[in-house]
Amino acid sequence: MPTALRLFRYVAIAEACSWAGLLVGMFFKYIVEAGDLGVKVFGPIHGLLFVLYVVGVLAAARAGRWSVGTIVLGLACAVPPFTSLWFERRMLGGVREPVTA
């Protein structure tokens, strides 16, 4: 698997995990009213991973020769929670990394 596609896979998964952390943090901040530590921690992490996801989509698009429509879909999937996972599976689901022992 080309490096750009492998990195895109890792960033898409990390971006979804950061969404989960941010949503949990927002739950505790706004619903439970237990403070904003989760948002302070996961907000910047998610922001960084969001930017890396956008860069990852563009790099993977170049390596995979994706169409403009696919690129737009990939970028749009950065916004709703967890759709980066759906898009990564859609684009790379059949691409397997070699197993090294």
Side-chain angles (χ1 to χ4, degrees), residues 18 21-22 25-26 36-49:
S18 73
L22 185 57
M26 289 179 2
D36 63 350
L37 179 63
V39 174
K40 283 184 177 180
V41 170
F42 284 103
I45 292 170
H46 177 69
L48 173 65
L49 289 170

Side-chain angles (χ1 to χ4, degrees), residues 74-85:
L75 294 174
C77 284
V79 179
F82 310 115
T83 53
S84 63
L85 290 177

Side-chain angles (χ1 to χ4, degrees), residues 66-98:
W66 297 349
S67 69
V68 172
T70 300
I71 295 168
V72 170
L73 178 62
L75 294 174
C77 284
V79 179
F82 310 115
T83 53
S84 63
L85 290 177
W86 171 81
F87 184 73
E88 182 273 329
R89 284 284 122 199
R90 181 172 187 243
M91 298 310 297
L92 304 180
V95 179
R96 300 284 181 235
E97 293 187 47

Side-chain angles (χ1 to χ4, degrees), residues 20-41:
L22 185 57
L23 290 172
V24 168
M26 289 179 2
F27 173 80
F28 279 102
K29 180 178 180 179
Y30 296 110
I31 305 299
V32 178
E33 297 182 5
D36 63 350
L37 179 63
V39 174
K40 283 184 177 180
V41 170

